Each structure stands twice: as structure tokens, then as C-alpha cells.
Amino acid sequence: MKVLVLPGDGIGPEVARPAAAVLVAAATRGHEFVLTEAPIGGAGIAAAGDPLPEATAHLAEQSDAILFGAAGIAGDTLLPAARRPGAGLLRLRKRLGLFANYRPAVLYPELIDASSLKPEIVRGLDLMILRELNGDAYFGEPRGVSVDAGGERIGVNTMRYSESEIRRIAHAGFRLARKRTRKLCSVDKANVLEVMKLWREVVTEVGREYPDVALTHLFVDAAAMHLLRRPTDFDVIVTGNMFGDILSDEAAMLTGSIGMLPSASLGEGRRGLYEPVHGSAPDIAGRDIANPLGAILSSAMLLRLSADDEAGATRIEAAVREVLARGLRTADIHTPGTTLVGTAAMGAAVLAAL
Ligand code: IPM
Ligand code: MG
């Protein structure tokens, strides 16, 4: 299996490399893994003047799976959009047609005290946000900043979804719900936005093909509220690119730390891009304090979804549970009575547990 490792920026390399080591150590299907590294994001700009160097994109197209760290450098929001490190990731998702982004939020019982919510609200949390990844205001045209007749600057982005884009992510949502508890909540803003009215109509139409799945709809503001009020009522949430970006960070905090959360981005085939939900966190880069478990759990998703290695994926998840049960914690999930460890020690502990 050809796995392209894209460490990227900030804490990306610190978490992606242990995740790659865990991937190879945990696999059970006898695949021979060929790991290649390439630059992306700020590292891509430094190496080739482009957040997605053509050589990196080409390697990604040739690979069976991609393990991604993070993209982003301090102060990059001031750069023009096309030169921002995160643009490399966005273009890669689009170029590979990775339209379905699976973001699980699972509370490990050992971390219940690290959650920002009361234990009785989050106990048993196990939900999945399915975020559409190729459309919405992220890619809609027109976009940009122009100057109007009065000399004032106007910023424009376009929230856009075609019927077929909504249909394919809706199908992915219903298929996922069938594998879980047959509950699907679609999140939109149909009370205000035409594009989201279409979203709701198309999801409802697709739902007629899945009469065994209980479909509900929430407006995004209410969804944000209920995620804090009654998070364990949710199972699968399907939503657009922008709302999914926001709600998945919110859901992350229910689990104790965004550093714990993995994600998978898939298209029509088996090739996927696997990345922790957290970003590059330039403020803590190079200090051996980042949590590598989100990246390591992304390797588990890679084995499960791109390598058809459920046993290998389960081994990684069990190893993570074991190190947590032994009380090892990085700074983001550290609570009184547990043992504070660094990024490298946490990665080594998971490898040893394997
Ligand atoms: C994410 C990130 C990215 C996004 C950024 C880094 C472009 O926030 O994966 O959630 O907005 O999609
Ligand atoms: Mg985000």
C-alpha cells in the first residue's frame, strides 16, 4: 500500500510521524507499506513556492491513502487566499474528489473529567459528523474582495450547492446511519438561505430511499445549542462544508480535547485522506507537548477504510484506550492524578502497547 505522509506545518510533523509508525506496526492484513513524505502547506511554500506543490499533488493521486498532519503558519490569515498554507489542503481535498469528511466525536470514559461539560451530559457520547467537503462557501464563485463605486471594499463568498452534491453526501449519510443506530440528523439553515432550503429538500427526497433510517432536521443554530444540551441524542449528523467545520470543533470539545479527534475524507473509491481535526497550532509547535492521539486514531481510520483492515484499526484503538487507562496524558487532557507526558512519549507508549 502506498501511503503518502504529508506532515505539513506546526505540530503536524510531530503528530504525523508517530501516527505513521503506529500504522505500520498495527496493520494485520499483510500489506507491504511504502511510506513517502512530501511537503504541503507552509512547508510546500518553502519547498516549491506553492501550498500544494504539483509534485505533492501528483504523489497523492498515485497513493492509496494519505496521512496528513496539519497546514498553517503563524499570521497566515493575512496572506492572500491562494498563498495561505490551508489552501493546499483545500485544493487537495477538491482535486482528489474527497467530498465526504467523517469526523467522529467519541468520549473515552477516562477523559470524562477533561470535557468542558458536566459528566452526566457527555457520558456515553459517540457521534459522527459527516461534513461535505467539496462545496459551499469554501469553493463557491464569485468570491473575492473588490472595491465598489464609492471606493469601499466589498468581500464576497458564495454559498453554493448543486443538487447532485447534496444528493451524494446525503446518500453517504444514510449509508453510515444504517451501519450505526439508523438515526440521521441533517443540519442546515433552511429558514434563511435558499441554498439550504434546497439542501433540506434534497436530503428529504433521498431519505425516501431509506425508510428504515429516522431522519430529522435542525437549523444550525439550534444544532449548536443541542450539541451542548443533549449531545448523546445525536448519532450521525450530516451537514455542509462550513457548518461542518464549525460544529466539528464544537463536538471535539465535548470529548475533552480537539487533540483526540481523527477524521477521514473519502470520495467514491477507497482512497482517503486521514488527518487529525486539530490544526497546526504554531504556538505549541516544536515543544513536544502536542497530543498525537488524534493523528494516531486517524491511522486507525486509514486501516479500516482504505486498507480494509478492521482488526488493525481495532488494535490501534485498543492501544490508545490502554495508554489512557494507564493514566498517561498530554497537557491538553491532563487532569489531577494522571501522568503528564510529551508527544514523543505518548507515541512511544501507544507503540509499546501494540
Ligand atoms: C479543518 C480546518 C480547515 C478547514 C482549514 C485548515 C482550511 O479548519 O479541516 O477543519 O476549514 O476545512
Ligand atoms: Mg476546522
Side-chain angles (χ1 to χ4, degrees):
M1 256 196 99
K2 284 192 234 162
V3 177
L4 180 63
V5 182
L6 302 176
D9 308 320
I11 60 172
E14 293 169 63
V15 299
R17 290 183 182 132
V22 165
L23 172 79
V24 174
T28 69
R29 292 289 302 262
H31 293 295
E32 187 198 328
F33 283 94
V34 181
L35 268 54
T36 311
E37 270 194 22
I40 193 165
I45 296 173
D50 187 346
L52 180 62
E54 185 50 36
T56 298
H58 188 72
L59 279 169
E61 282 169 343
Q62 307 301 314
S63 64
D64 300 305
I66 300 150
L67 195 57
F68 179 88
I73 52 178
D76 60 11
T77 43
L78 299 174
L79 294 171
R83 302 249 324 147
R84 252 175 243 158
L89 174 61
L90 299 178
R91 276 163 55 202
L92 188 60
R93 289 169 176 170
K94 185 82 172 172
R95 178 148 163 184
L96 299 180
L98 306 172
F99 65 86
N101 181 215
Y102 297 82
R103 296 190 160 185
V106 176
L107 178 79
Y108 288 83
E110 293 83 3
L111 298 185
I112 197 155
D113 294 323
S115 170
S116 10
L117 294 194
K118 297 189 193 94
E120 60 270 29
I121 305 260
V122 284
R123 186 168 291 118
L125 180 86
D126 179 357
L127 62 83
M128 177 85 87
I129 295 184
L130 176 56
R131 169 189 177 195
E132 201 289 330
L133 213 51
N134 280 182
D136 208 338
Y138 273 63
F139 295 98
E141 299 282 347
R143 65 186 297 159
V145 176
S146 56
V147 180
D148 75 359
E152 187 181 22
R153 283 175 303 161
I154 310 287
V156 173
N157 285 94
T158 303
M159 191 176 246
R160 180 185 188 281
Y161 268 118
S162 68
E163 192 176 347
S164 56
E165 285 172 319
I166 303 168
R167 204 170 284 284
R168 68 180 181 179
I169 195 72
H171 277 291
F174 283 106
R175 283 197 299 267
L176 178 63
R178 273 191 172 160
K179 289 198 199 139
R180 295 173 54 109
T181 65
R182 296 177 185 255
K183 271 172 29 182
L184 181 65
C185 178
S186 170
V187 171
D188 60 42
K189 190 70 187 172
N191 51 340
V192 178
L193 303 170
E194 284 77 4
V195 54
M196 287 287 131
K197 187 164 172 287
L198 179 68
W199 175 281
R200 186 172 290 213
E201 278 166 22
V202 174
V203 172
T204 304
E205 278 164 34
V206 172
R208 294 195 190 108
E209 296 174 43
Y210 301 83
D212 53 316
V213 175
L215 172 66
T216 52
H217 304 272
L218 277 179
F219 300 134
V220 64
D221 49 352
M225 178 180 72
H226 288 301
L227 266 175
L228 300 183
R229 205 170 92 122
R230 47 173 185 90
T232 56
D233 282 358
F234 290 98
D235 189 24
V236 181
I237 294 175
V238 64
T239 190
N241 203 346
M242 179 126 90
F243 298 158
D245 178 46
I246 299 165
L247 293 179
S248 59
D249 273 26
E250 186 190 0
M253 281 323 291
L254 305 175
T255 70
S257 170
I258 195 168
M260 290 298 299
L261 293 201
S263 79
S265 303
L266 292 162
E268 300 291 359
R270 284 208 90 102
R271 179 173 55 212
L273 183 147
Y274 300 86
E275 52 171 319
V277 172
H278 66 71
S280 58
D283 52 326
I284 62 162
R287 292 168 50 197
D288 192 41
I289 59 175
N291 184 347
L293 295 179
I296 286 171
L297 290 166
S298 299
S299 287
M301 293 188 90
L302 189 160
L303 287 181
R304 175 172 292 125
L305 299 171
S306 284
D308 195 21
D309 187 354
E310 179 62 34
T314 308
R315 283 186 75 204
I316 296 179
E317 288 156 357
V320 167
R321 284 213 164 79
E322 188 181 318
V323 298
L324 292 174
R326 280 175 37 214
L328 303 189
R329 302 282 188 276
T330 42
D332 55 316
I333 50 176
H334 185 227
T335 46
T338 60
T339 310
L340 183 63
V341 295
T343 312
M346 185 61 110
V350 174
L351 267 182
L354 281 171

